[in-house]
Amino acid sequence: MLRLASETDPSWADANADHVPYLLIEQAHLEKKAASAALGYMFRYPDHVFLQGPLSELAREELEHFELVLQKLEDRGIEFVRQKPAPYAARLLEVVRGPQPDKLLDQMLCNAAVEARSCERMLLLSRGLRGRDDDVAELYHGLVGSEARHYELYVDLAKRIFDPDVVEARMVEVMRHEADVIATAPRAPGLHNRA
Ligand SMILES: [Fe+2]
Ligand SMILES: [Fe+2]
């Protein structure tokens, strides 16, 4: 179960359904960033040896998603161009406390929150695009399950480093912050914006 503190209205997907090329380019960037985030932990925290295997697998899976979306862009003749990132991720990370080990806990919970929100919204897109663009609806549908697993992995790994009760309590705060960030996001197309 995703522990998001707010629910996206399904009308959000309808408003985004007219922006499939934009969404696909964004999705490719997001998958690449997700892989990079996992690799980042592996390099920054080599002493937590048990992070290495699962996060390597996660990074590989995100790169597979990246390649899948890249192929979709190519099939449709859409150029994989740079995009100005949505403010979501930077604003979300404002909740991260400076000193260790709090920093690591907060960062992992932010990654969990991103995976959870992405999962929720990709599911809405897969439903909203049915009958309008079944091919892309299917693509999103195929990605949803992994994002839910990635969310759980970040939470589970955090609970191996920190007291599970501490993780649970902090998760409530991070998810509340996430809900505030998403509720005040710009009105623009994109996975982490407001419709
Ligand atoms: Fe992914
Ligand atoms: Fe993911």
Side-chain angles (χ1 to χ4, degrees):
M1 190 186 98
L2 308 171
R3 298 269 302 278
L4 290 166
S6 68
E7 211 175 297
T8 301
D9 192 282
S11 65
W12 169 86
D14 295 332
N16 272 277
D18 295 331
H19 302 280
V20 167
Y22 183 91
L23 290 176
L24 286 176
I25 294 169
E26 182 188 51
Q27 192 62 34
H29 286 293
L30 291 173
E31 300 290 0
K32 191 163 66 162
K33 260 182 230 157
S36 169
L39 283 169
Y41 287 107
M42 294 166 65
F43 282 101
R44 290 198 309 277
Y45 303 102
D47 296 334
H48 294 306
V49 179
F50 58 89
L51 292 179
Q52 299 285 315
L55 287 180
S56 170
E57 198 183 324
L58 191 150
R60 187 152 31 92
E61 210 173 351
E62 301 292 21
L63 284 177
E64 279 167 13
H65 295 169
F66 171 68
E67 289 166 30
L68 214 63
V69 181
L70 208 57
Q71 185 61 53
K72 193 63 70 189
L73 289 172
E74 203 183 309
D75 293 347
R76 294 185 168 219
I78 302 166
E79 199 185 347
F80 180 39
V81 290
R82 279 175 191 262
Q83 244 179 10
K84 195 169 177 281
Y88 174 78
R91 286 197 53 211
L92 183 60
L93 288 170
E94 286 169 6
V95 80
V96 175
R97 293 164 292 179
Q100 291 288 14
D102 295 343
K103 186 176 177 179
L104 174 58
L105 172 60
D106 292 354
Q107 283 174 334
M108 292 182 91
L109 291 178
C110 281
N111 279 103
V114 172
E115 297 282 354
R117 183 62 71 186
S118 303
C119 176
E120 184 218 29
R121 291 197 161 187
M122 281 188 227
L123 186 63
L124 290 180
L125 282 175
S126 77
R127 289 174 183 157
L129 288 169
R130 285 254 179 260
R132 302 166 88 157
D133 191 330
D134 285 329
D135 178 46
V136 173
E138 201 49 53
L139 175 77
Y140 279 114
H141 183 74
L143 296 174
V144 165
S146 327
E147 306 316 340
R149 260 191 297 109
H150 298 165
Y151 154 77
E152 278 166 19
L153 179 66
Y154 274 114
V155 176
D156 289 349
L157 290 175
K159 285 181 178 174
R160 288 188 61 177
I161 303 172
F162 304 95
D163 179 340
D165 290 339
V166 171
V167 174
E168 285 294 322
R170 184 61 179 156
M171 171 121 89
V172 172
E173 293 170 355
V174 170
M175 287 302 198
R176 250 189 235 136
H177 171 68
E178 193 278 342
D180 182 53
V181 168
I182 205 90
T184 54
R187 290 197 180 277
L191 199 65
H192 301 120
N193 283 327
R194 263 190 305 169

mmCIF file of all heavy atoms in Angstrom, residues 2 6 15 25 28 32 37 80 90 103 107 124 136-137 140 143 146 157 159 162 186 190:
data_model
loop_
_atom_site.group_PDB
_atom_site.id
_atom_site.type_symbol
_atom_site.label_atom_id
_atom_site.label_comp_id
_atom_site.label_asym_id
_atom_site.label_seq_id
_atom_site.Cartn_x
_atom_site.Cartn_y
_atom_site.Cartn_z
ATOM 1 N N LEU A 2 0.534 2.170 -0.869
ATOM 2 C CA LEU A 2 1.272 3.438 -0.915
ATOM 3 C C LEU A 2 0.783 4.322 0.221
ATOM 4 O O LEU A 2 -0.410 4.442 0.428
ATOM 5 C CB LEU A 2 1.028 4.149 -2.251
ATOM 6 C CG LEU A 2 1.264 3.343 -3.524
ATOM 7 C CD1 LEU A 2 0.770 4.116 -4.730
ATOM 8 C CD2 LEU A 2 2.732 2.999 -3.692
ATOM 9 N N SER A 6 -2.114 12.266 0.213
ATOM 10 C CA SER A 6 -3.212 12.846 -0.565
ATOM 11 C C SER A 6 -3.426 12.002 -1.811
ATOM 12 O O SER A 6 -2.537 11.251 -2.216
ATOM 13 C CB SER A 6 -2.893 14.287 -0.970
ATOM 14 O OG SER A 6 -1.835 14.308 -1.912
ATOM 15 N N ALA A 15 -6.614 15.821 -18.159
ATOM 16 C CA ALA A 15 -5.962 17.064 -18.573
ATOM 17 C C ALA A 15 -4.593 16.786 -19.194
ATOM 18 O O ALA A 15 -4.130 17.537 -20.052
ATOM 19 C CB ALA A 15 -5.822 18.004 -17.373
ATOM 20 N N ILE A 25 8.696 12.205 -23.030
ATOM 21 C CA ILE A 25 10.047 12.771 -22.870
ATOM 22 C C ILE A 25 10.351 12.898 -21.382
ATOM 23 O O ILE A 25 11.430 12.521 -20.913
ATOM 24 C CB ILE A 25 10.155 14.145 -23.578
ATOM 25 C CG1 ILE A 25 10.025 13.973 -25.091
ATOM 26 C CG2 ILE A 25 11.477 14.825 -23.227
ATOM 27 C CD1 ILE A 25 9.859 15.276 -25.856
ATOM 28 N N ALA A 28 11.135 9.538 -19.755
ATOM 29 C CA ALA A 28 12.510 9.083 -20.017
ATOM 30 C C ALA A 28 13.479 9.772 -19.051
ATOM 31 O O ALA A 28 14.337 9.124 -18.452
ATOM 32 C CB ALA A 28 12.888 9.364 -21.469
ATOM 33 N N LYS A 32 15.704 7.874 -15.964
ATOM 34 C CA LYS A 32 17.161 8.022 -15.896
ATOM 35 C C LYS A 32 17.566 8.596 -14.544
ATOM 36 O O LYS A 32 18.541 8.166 -13.924
ATOM 37 C CB LYS A 32 17.635 8.915 -17.056
ATOM 38 C CG LYS A 32 19.130 8.918 -17.244
ATOM 39 C CD LYS A 32 19.553 9.446 -18.610
ATOM 40 C CE LYS A 32 19.225 10.906 -18.806
ATOM 41 N NZ LYS A 32 19.992 11.507 -19.910
ATOM 42 N N ALA A 37 19.669 8.112 -8.910
ATOM 43 C CA ALA A 37 19.460 8.235 -7.459
ATOM 44 C C ALA A 37 19.907 6.952 -6.759
ATOM 45 O O ALA A 37 20.604 6.989 -5.739
ATOM 46 C CB ALA A 37 17.989 8.520 -7.160
ATOM 47 N N PHE A 80 14.258 13.085 -28.077
ATOM 48 C CA PHE A 80 14.494 13.104 -26.626
ATOM 49 C C PHE A 80 15.311 14.353 -26.283
ATOM 50 O O PHE A 80 16.520 14.316 -26.184
ATOM 51 C CB PHE A 80 15.225 11.830 -26.208
ATOM 52 C CG PHE A 80 15.516 11.746 -24.727
ATOM 53 C CD1 PHE A 80 14.595 12.186 -23.789
ATOM 54 C CD2 PHE A 80 16.717 11.218 -24.279
ATOM 55 C CE1 PHE A 80 14.871 12.103 -22.422
ATOM 56 C CE2 PHE A 80 17.004 11.127 -22.910
ATOM 57 C CZ PHE A 80 16.072 11.582 -21.984
ATOM 58 N N ALA A 90 12.946 19.164 -6.294
ATOM 59 C CA ALA A 90 13.741 20.112 -5.497
ATOM 60 C C ALA A 90 12.958 20.570 -4.269
ATOM 61 O O ALA A 90 13.505 20.670 -3.159
ATOM 62 C CB ALA A 90 14.140 21.306 -6.357
ATOM 63 N N LYS A 103 19.862 12.820 7.556
ATOM 64 C CA LYS A 103 19.882 13.142 6.124
ATOM 65 C C LYS A 103 19.585 11.903 5.276
ATOM 66 O O LYS A 103 18.767 11.961 4.356
ATOM 67 C CB LYS A 103 21.261 13.707 5.777
ATOM 68 C CG LYS A 103 21.398 14.214 4.371
ATOM 69 C CD LYS A 103 22.773 14.833 4.166
ATOM 70 C CE LYS A 103 22.961 15.284 2.735
ATOM 71 N NZ LYS A 103 24.274 15.907 2.530
ATOM 72 N N GLN A 107 16.358 11.391 2.894
ATOM 73 C CA GLN A 107 16.550 11.205 1.453
ATOM 74 C C GLN A 107 15.867 9.923 0.975
ATOM 75 O O GLN A 107 15.192 9.919 -0.056
ATOM 76 C CB GLN A 107 18.052 11.128 1.123
ATOM 77 C CG GLN A 107 18.718 12.484 1.121
ATOM 78 C CD GLN A 107 20.229 12.393 0.929
ATOM 79 O OE1 GLN A 107 20.853 11.384 1.259
ATOM 80 N NE2 GLN A 107 20.825 13.447 0.411
ATOM 81 N N LEU A 124 -3.141 6.297 -12.974
ATOM 82 C CA LEU A 124 -4.201 7.183 -13.479
ATOM 83 C C LEU A 124 -4.026 7.435 -14.976
ATOM 84 O O LEU A 124 -5.002 7.457 -15.728
ATOM 85 C CB LEU A 124 -4.197 8.515 -12.720
ATOM 86 C CG LEU A 124 -4.661 8.479 -11.263
ATOM 87 C CD1 LEU A 124 -4.607 9.881 -10.664
ATOM 88 C CD2 LEU A 124 -6.074 7.912 -11.133
ATOM 89 N N VAL A 136 0.368 3.819 -25.285
ATOM 90 C CA VAL A 136 1.038 4.485 -24.159
ATOM 91 C C VAL A 136 0.350 4.114 -22.838
ATOM 92 O O VAL A 136 1.019 3.989 -21.803
ATOM 93 C CB VAL A 136 1.115 6.019 -24.378
ATOM 94 C CG1 VAL A 136 1.655 6.730 -23.151
ATOM 95 C CG2 VAL A 136 2.018 6.317 -25.570
ATOM 96 N N ALA A 137 -0.964 3.905 -22.879
ATOM 97 C CA ALA A 137 -1.680 3.431 -21.680
ATOM 98 C C ALA A 137 -1.053 2.123 -21.208
ATOM 99 O O ALA A 137 -0.795 1.927 -20.012
ATOM 100 C CB ALA A 137 -3.160 3.235 -21.995
ATOM 101 N N TYR A 140 2.443 2.675 -19.557
ATOM 102 C CA TYR A 140 2.333 3.103 -18.149
ATOM 103 C C TYR A 140 1.866 1.955 -17.267
ATOM 104 O O TYR A 140 2.384 1.758 -16.163
ATOM 105 C CB TYR A 140 1.376 4.301 -18.016
ATOM 106 C CG TYR A 140 2.022 5.614 -18.368
ATOM 107 C CD1 TYR A 140 1.616 6.355 -19.473
ATOM 108 C CD2 TYR A 140 3.062 6.129 -17.594
ATOM 109 C CE1 TYR A 140 2.222 7.559 -19.806
ATOM 110 C CE2 TYR A 140 3.679 7.329 -17.919
ATOM 111 C CZ TYR A 140 3.243 8.043 -19.019
ATOM 112 O OH TYR A 140 3.849 9.223 -19.341
ATOM 113 N N LEU A 143 4.588 -0.201 -16.148
ATOM 114 C CA LEU A 143 5.589 0.382 -15.247
ATOM 115 C C LEU A 143 5.115 0.479 -13.798
ATOM 116 O O LEU A 143 5.924 0.539 -12.874
ATOM 117 C CB LEU A 143 5.971 1.791 -15.730
ATOM 118 C CG LEU A 143 6.655 1.896 -17.105
ATOM 119 C CD1 LEU A 143 6.836 3.361 -17.496
ATOM 120 C CD2 LEU A 143 8.008 1.193 -17.106
ATOM 121 N N SER A 146 6.403 -1.982 -10.901
ATOM 122 C CA SER A 146 7.784 -1.795 -10.435
ATOM 123 C C SER A 146 7.887 -0.591 -9.519
ATOM 124 O O SER A 146 8.616 -0.623 -8.527
ATOM 125 C CB SER A 146 8.750 -1.561 -11.591
ATOM 126 O OG SER A 146 8.377 -2.241 -12.722
ATOM 127 N N LEU A 157 14.554 -0.781 3.136
ATOM 128 C CA LEU A 157 15.990 -0.566 3.349
ATOM 129 C C LEU A 157 16.207 0.450 4.478
ATOM 130 O O LEU A 157 17.098 0.273 5.317
ATOM 131 C CB LEU A 157 16.669 -0.092 2.063
ATOM 132 C CG LEU A 157 16.796 -1.136 0.946
ATOM 133 C CD1 LEU A 157 17.373 -0.498 -0.320
ATOM 134 C CD2 LEU A 157 17.654 -2.320 1.380
ATOM 135 N N LYS A 159 14.366 0.847 6.979
ATOM 136 C CA LYS A 159 14.073 0.155 8.249
ATOM 137 C C LYS A 159 15.187 -0.811 8.657
ATOM 138 O O LYS A 159 15.205 -1.287 9.787
ATOM 139 C CB LYS A 159 12.736 -0.596 8.139
ATOM 140 C CG LYS A 159 11.552 0.352 8.215
ATOM 141 C CD LYS A 159 10.229 -0.368 8.144
ATOM 142 C CE LYS A 159 9.086 0.627 8.275
ATOM 143 N NZ LYS A 159 7.782 -0.005 8.060
ATOM 144 N N PHE A 162 17.544 2.169 10.211
ATOM 145 C CA PHE A 162 16.983 2.942 11.322
ATOM 146 C C PHE A 162 15.910 2.135 12.055
ATOM 147 O O PHE A 162 15.363 1.178 11.505
ATOM 148 C CB PHE A 162 16.364 4.245 10.793
ATOM 149 C CG PHE A 162 17.331 5.092 10.014
ATOM 150 C CD1 PHE A 162 17.403 5.011 8.632
ATOM 151 C CD2 PHE A 162 18.200 5.960 10.670
ATOM 152 C CE1 PHE A 162 18.320 5.782 7.907
ATOM 153 C CE2 PHE A 162 19.112 6.731 9.968
ATOM 154 C CZ PHE A 162 19.170 6.639 8.583
ATOM 155 N N PRO A 186 3.038 23.792 -10.024
ATOM 156 C CA PRO A 186 2.539 24.637 -11.116
ATOM 157 C C PRO A 186 1.429 23.934 -11.899
ATOM 158 O O PRO A 186 1.416 22.701 -11.989
ATOM 159 C CB PRO A 186 3.765 24.838 -12.010
ATOM 160 C CG PRO A 186 4.940 24.390 -11.238
ATOM 161 C CD PRO A 186 4.457 23.455 -10.179
ATOM 162 N N GLY A 190 2.580 17.281 -16.977
ATOM 163 C CA GLY A 190 3.716 16.628 -16.315
ATOM 164 C C GLY A 190 3.262 15.774 -15.157
ATOM 165 O O GLY A 190 2.225 16.048 -14.541
#
